[in-house]
Amino acid sequence: MDSATLQKQICRLKDSLGAVILAHNYQRPEVQEIADFCGDSLELARRSTDLTAEMIVFCGVRFMAETAVLLNPDRPVLLPEEGALCPLAAQIDPPTLQEWKDRYPGLPVICYVNSTVDVKAHSDILCTSANAVAVVESLNSDGVIFIPDGNLGHYISTQTEVTVISYPGNCYLHDRITLREIETARHDHPAAQVLVHPECRPEIVAVADAVLSTAGMIRYAQTTDANELIIATEIGLLYQLRKRVPGKQFHTVGDGPTCRPMKLTTLDSVLRILQHQQPVISVPSAMRPGALRALQRMLAVT
Ligand code: 13P
Ligand code: SF4
């Protein structure tokens, strides 16, 4: 079946079921097109707080769907691809987190949302790339433990006086972006500004014109005087940028960083999940109160 036919079927079925489709900015263009709302992790979490739909179809990775589950305990949340797991989220587990807490007693734990629900449940507060610095500063602590992204932790440490003890996890595709790729893009597009996601390595962040979440990049592109922008993050964002900021030019870096788990979701898998309405994503009930507390604490900050 072609994309246009699939999209029509999805929209018809979605409407008849009273479902809402939320999608992350890294989803395939044709999936972004059928979403009711596209956004970054923070926008998607916020959007999940005021939904009235019968069910939520989450086009993203599992930790994002779990956030929607925490905020919508009475609504089914469907993830079209069960295997859409963020590898960064798997890089720390509760026993390892406990070792870090024992090593730095008394320090609050800030947990990036790219994490499992059981790790969230043992953390003090969550953050996303959009609000990480504000969350750290909200705690009024001289030091914090930051898990699990070491590059984001390092970036935060450059933006605040707070001592940030960072766990050494990383996102495989942001961590792989090289200075040479940025220099090549700059050489090819000398008038362009460079926007960098804070999951990139410190040497990439150091040469950026701005360091932003994916939604932050869209807002920046809408307001900057620059007509050309180099985008150092996952390739899917370029579709949303070109759609929302049509007068400007956007260039990727290297051969276009691509998140495999994000790209698992296709129009076929969205149609299939709407037809079968299962499996429904759940979080273990023992983890729910702690993870929800850390999430709500974050939502209260920004
Ligand atoms: P954003 O919250 O900036 O969209 O980033 C999510 C993510 O997974 C980055 O790799
Ligand atoms: Fe995870 Fe990286 Fe993909 Fe974001 S881009 S979902 S951090 S693997």
Side-chain angles (χ1 to χ4, degrees):
M1 221 184 294
D2 63 62
S3 287
T5 311
L6 276 169
Q7 285 171 328
K8 269 191 210 132
Q9 283 201 17
I10 288 168
C11 290
R12 257 201 309 271
L13 192 50
K14 178 189 75 140
D15 289 346
S16 71
L17 293 167
V20 66
I21 301 182
L22 304 183
H24 187 264
N25 291 325
Y26 294 161
Q27 288 289 291
R28 292 169 184 267
E30 64 274 21
V31 173
Q32 294 188 30
E33 272 307 305
I34 46 103
D36 295 290
F37 181 75
C38 286
D40 71 359
S41 309
L42 183 60
E43 289 179 332
L44 290 164
R46 287 207 178 286
R47 196 62 204 257
S48 299
T49 62
D50 62 2
L51 294 172
T52 52
E54 295 291 318
M55 67 184 75
I56 302 166
V57 176
F58 210 110
C59 300
V61 286
R62 186 176 171 109
F63 77 79
M64 295 177 175
E66 286 173 345
T67 298
V69 174
L70 290 169
L71 295 165
N72 293 272
D74 301 324
R75 245 177 223 119
V77 177
L78 307 168
L79 183 69
E81 289 289 341
E82 270 196 287
L85 303 172
C86 167
L88 170 60
Q91 290 174 28
I92 187 165
D93 56 14
T96 312
L97 172 55
Q98 190 55 51
E99 283 170 26
W100 277 59
K101 286 184 183 180
D102 294 343
R103 208 178 302 161
Y104 304 102
L107 289 194
V109 175
I110 304 180
C111 179
Y112 191 32
V113 286
N114 298 41
S115 52
T116 58
V117 76
D118 49 355
V119 166
K120 287 183 172 90
H122 293 93
S123 301
D124 293 291
I125 187 167
L126 308 187
C127 77
T128 76
S129 59
N131 64 10
V133 176
V135 165
V136 168
E137 294 199 327
S138 76
L139 298 182
N140 291 320
S141 174
D142 291 340
V144 297
I145 299 172
F146 186 83
I147 57 167
D149 190 290
N151 289 336
L152 178 56
H154 180 273
Y155 170 66
I156 298 164
S157 74
T158 66
Q159 302 297 304
T160 165
E161 297 296 308
V162 178
T163 302
V164 182
I165 314 273
S166 298
Y167 185 81
N170 63 54
C171 161
Y172 75 98
L173 69 102
H174 284 94
D175 194 61
R176 217 180 269 166
I177 296 173
T178 63
L179 209 44
R180 180 175 283 253
E181 288 172 335
I182 303 287
E183 281 162 4
T184 303
R186 266 214 163 111
H187 176 267
D188 293 346
H189 311 287
Q193 289 192 348
V194 178
L195 306 190
V196 168
H197 196 277
E199 288 178 11
C200 292
R201 289 180 176 219
E203 67 265 28
I204 309 297
V205 165
V207 299
D209 290 294
V211 181
L212 297 159
S213 76
T214 57
M217 289 184 188
I218 296 171
R219 284 191 291 274
Y220 187 96
Q222 286 167 331
T223 53
T224 179
D225 290 339
N227 286 320
E228 269 187 85
L229 294 124
I230 294 163
I231 305 297
T233 193
E234 212 270 352
I235 187 84
L237 180 66
L238 274 81
Y239 179 75
Q240 200 56 220
L241 280 164
R242 287 176 180 141
K243 185 176 162 178
R244 305 232 330 240
V245 198
K248 299 194 177 177
Q249 283 186 53
F250 299 98
H251 311 288
T252 189
V253 293
D255 52 5
T258 303
C259 174
R260 280 189 302 272
M262 282 283 184
K263 293 322 195 227
L264 285 177
T265 305
T266 61
L267 290 177
D268 282 311
S269 53
V270 177
L271 181 59
R272 198 169 52 239
I273 200 96
L274 281 166
Q275 285 166 336
H276 300 290
Q277 295 154 46
Q278 57 178 310
V280 173
I281 299 296
S282 63
V283 301
S285 54
M287 299 303 155
R288 208 187 119 70
L292 183 60
R293 196 178 321 114
L295 171 60
Q296 285 177 329
R297 210 173 156 196
M298 170 189 89
L299 292 173
V301 169
T302 43

